[in-house]
Amino acid sequence: AEIQDQLLVAQQVQVLARELDTRSSEMKVDARKAMVRQNPKDQLPELAEDGLTISERFDALTALPVDARGAEQITQLQELFATYTSEITAIIDGAVDDQAQARVDWEKVQEANDVTDDALGAFQEEVDKDVTSLMAEIDRTGGRVRTLLLTVLGLGLFLVGLATLAVHRSIIGKLQ
């Protein structure tokens, strides 16, 4: 049951990390839209929504019973996302103030996103490995349990057979 609990937590981390990855991409799109929209201010509500979703996902992640290594990684990601959010917010604010200059600086969006994507990608790979490892352990444990059950069942059938034979001989012996 402990391994299954660990797997459940790892799978929850896996889902939340993927959701953070989606939000990271959404923020990149928010910044690019601010550079080309007629009114860049229209992008601010979407940015705020993405920021709220990211905050909710980190609240969910930090509430999970992960080990010390996982907790440290989540804290580092949270700090990285805070920086990323600040950078994207600054880019969008810059587009609101001077859209033409923001377009010239369009590469800043990808640069900010690349740092976040790299760290999040490494985290996701590690979580995916953990999930795979835990699933393999459950399979191995399940195989050992099946072997044990079949052995006990076989032994039980053998003992029942012996008991039946003993009872049969006892009955036959008394009849003769």
Side-chain angles (χ1 to χ4, degrees):
E2 182 181 322
I3 292 174
Q4 289 175 334
D5 292 342
Q6 290 173 0
L7 177 61
L8 179 61
V9 169
Q11 288 173 326
Q12 289 171 325
V13 170
Q14 196 176 40
V15 167
L16 291 167
R18 282 180 175 49
E19 290 177 11
L20 285 170
D21 188 37
T22 299
R23 286 298 132 197
S24 171
S25 296
E26 287 292 324
M27 290 179 72
K28 178 173 73 172
V29 170
D30 292 343
R32 290 191 173 153
K33 282 182 179 178
M35 292 177 180
V36 297
R37 276 188 153 180
Q38 186 169 350
N39 186 356
K41 267 188 181 175
D42 292 345
Q43 210 52 44
L44 292 173
E46 288 183 39
L47 176 64
E49 181 182 325
D50 289 333
L52 179 62
T53 301
I54 288 168
S55 179
E56 290 169 349
R57 296 313 176 262
F58 275 112
D59 288 347
L61 275 171
T62 56
L64 291 172
V66 298
D67 61 15
R69 178 183 56 93
E72 177 62 29
Q73 290 172 321
I74 290 168
T75 298
Q76 289 172 354
L77 273 179
Q78 196 167 17
E79 292 168 359
L80 184 66
F81 263 87
T83 300
Y84 179 61
T85 300
S86 295
E87 290 172 346
I88 295 296
T89 300
I91 290 167
I92 292 174
D93 288 344
V96 169
D97 293 340
D98 185 354
Q99 195 175 40
Q101 183 59 47
R103 286 181 187 147
V104 170
D105 295 335
W106 65 270
E107 293 167 330
K108 289 181 181 178
V109 174
Q110 192 60 48
E111 290 168 4
N113 185 258
D114 285 346
V115 172
T116 304
D117 275 354
D118 289 347
L120 191 54
F123 178 71
Q124 286 176 307
E125 284 178 24
E126 197 162 322
V127 172
D128 290 348
K129 286 178 186 175
D130 289 347
V131 167
T132 301
S133 173
L134 288 166
M135 290 175 77
E137 181 62 27
I138 287 171
D139 286 345
R140 281 190 300 279
T141 302
R144 287 191 298 257
V145 169
R146 278 190 297 277
T147 301
L148 179 62
L149 286 174
L150 289 173
T151 302
V152 169
L153 180 62
L155 183 59
L157 288 173
F158 177 73
L159 292 175
V160 166
L162 285 178
T164 302
L165 182 62
V167 168
H168 176 69
R169 285 186 178 178
S170 171
I171 293 173
I172 297 291
K174 288 182 182 180
L175 292 176
Q176 291 178 351

